Amino acid sequence: MPPLAERDVFAPAAPGTMLLGLIGSGIAGSRSPAMHVAEAAAQGFALEYRRIDLDVLGLGVEALPQLLDHAQAAGYRGLNITYPAKQAVIPLLDALSDEARALGAVNTVVFEAGRRMGHNTDASGFAAGFRLQLPGAAMGQVVQIGAGGAGAAVAHAVLSMGAAQLTIFDMDDTRAAGLAANLNAHFGPGRAVAGPALGPAIAAAHGLVHATPMGMAKHPGLPLPAALLRADLWVAEVVYVPIDTALLQAARAQGARVADGGGMAVYQAADAFRHFTGREPDAPRMRQGFLAAISHPGLT
Ligand code: NAD
């Protein structure tokens, strides 16, 4: 096995080709490489996007310092960062955007004149997808199920978009309480609460955000009893494989307005593309390509 610096992922790119990568675990199915490459091609410049998969390399987060050093030395323009490295990368950076600092998580690193700048586009990506798919949605009382990595970003987005109060549920009560405490420290006391009872909270809510893995092939089913859904409760989903989850189907069957998880997936990439390239992405074009790719996964 060659030393880490000599692995294929750290080979120089062809001259004139912008080099990007994704560091994470279990990222073989990520749509980010295809989205960035297709958008660059549509804008007429060459971009290569590599998966730096911790599982494939047989490494853990303790290897992050070397991975960033080697990527920077190899001429990478930047990196997306995903599970399990979004927090661990922070001490390795020179500066953080306000949003990344507030979230305590980084999903985009840009190498600029020898410095490493950390951004977070998960919350802004969720917000952009939400506004597109649920324009004018009432933001008074919102319930969120799921307080993990994605949940922290979308909760931040929901309060930033003006929700008066967010009630958070998680099968792990301490996670819900911890996220509520972090949000209150940032947005002010009382803006977030860890919910004691789901039924009454949903009965009083304008909208529901779902941020657990329920609905994916490995976690089939609904994250709540279908009887709690109703026509005047909008539902925003983070799961995007499948794009039309059982929850979205059940909500639509009640006549509710819904937003799929593809919005966050596409707009976090579009916002990262802007940071990496300094160019304005055509986000609707990226969404079109994304939807085509996930409905025909074998073709890309
Ligand atoms: P995570 O493991 O960090 O968090 C999931 C949380 O859900 C955990 O706190 C867990 O206790 C809780 N949970 C699980 N099942 C539950 C249930 N039935 N009821 C209540 N709580 C439950 O995972 P994550 O990184 O936050 O990812 C969650 C989902 O979001 C995944 O399906 C992932 O694919 C999706 N995701 C989507 C995007 C996007 O761009 N759309 C981005 C990131 C993650």
Side-chain angles (χ1 to χ4, degrees), residues 115-203:
R115 283 168 54 82
R116 299 166 174 178
M117 176 75 187
H119 300 271
N120 190 303
T121 67
D122 287 330
S124 62
F126 176 83
F130 183 94
R131 287 194 199 95
L132 184 81
Q133 297 184 71
L134 287 171
M139 295 302 288
Q141 297 288 327
V142 179
V143 167
Q144 178 173 314
I145 306 177
V154 301
H156 192 93
V158 167
L159 288 176
S160 296
M161 285 189 288
Q165 191 174 57
L166 183 65
T167 306
I168 303 168
F169 293 85
D170 194 291
M171 63 199 295
D172 179 342
D173 290 341
T174 57
R175 281 199 163 191
L179 178 55
N182 285 347
L183 291 164
N184 286 331
H186 185 75
F187 290 96
R191 293 289 298 282
V193 290
L198 188 60
I202 292 203

Side-chain angles (χ1 to χ4, degrees), residues 35-36 125 240 261-272 282-291:
M35 279 194 281
H36 285 272
Y240 64 93
M264 179 178 181
V266 170
Y267 281 86
Q268 63 77 25
D271 288 352
D282 183 335
R285 175 168 65 200
M286 290 177 78
R287 179 168 167 85
Q288 231 171 19
F290 170 84
L291 292 176

Side-chain angles (χ1 to χ4, degrees), residues 195-294:
L198 188 60
I202 292 203
H206 298 97
L208 169 69
V209 177
H210 174 239
T212 87
M214 290 290 292
M216 300 180 78
K218 278 192 201 155
H219 305 275
L222 292 172
L224 79 173
L228 295 179
L229 299 169
R230 52 177 210 275
D232 63 350
L233 180 79
W234 56 256
V235 174
E237 175 70 280
V238 301
V239 172
Y240 64 93
V241 185
I243 194 78
D244 197 25
T245 60
L247 172 61
L248 295 185
Q249 291 175 21
R252 271 203 314 271
Q254 293 297 320
R257 297 169 70 203
V258 302
D260 64 48
M264 179 178 181
V266 170
Y267 281 86
Q268 63 77 25
D271 288 352
F273 184 92
R274 192 181 297 106
H275 288 304
F276 290 138
T277 67
R279 295 171 184 243
E280 192 53 33
D282 183 335
R285 175 168 65 200
M286 290 177 78
R287 179 168 167 85
Q288 231 171 19
F290 170 84
L291 292 176
I294 59 172

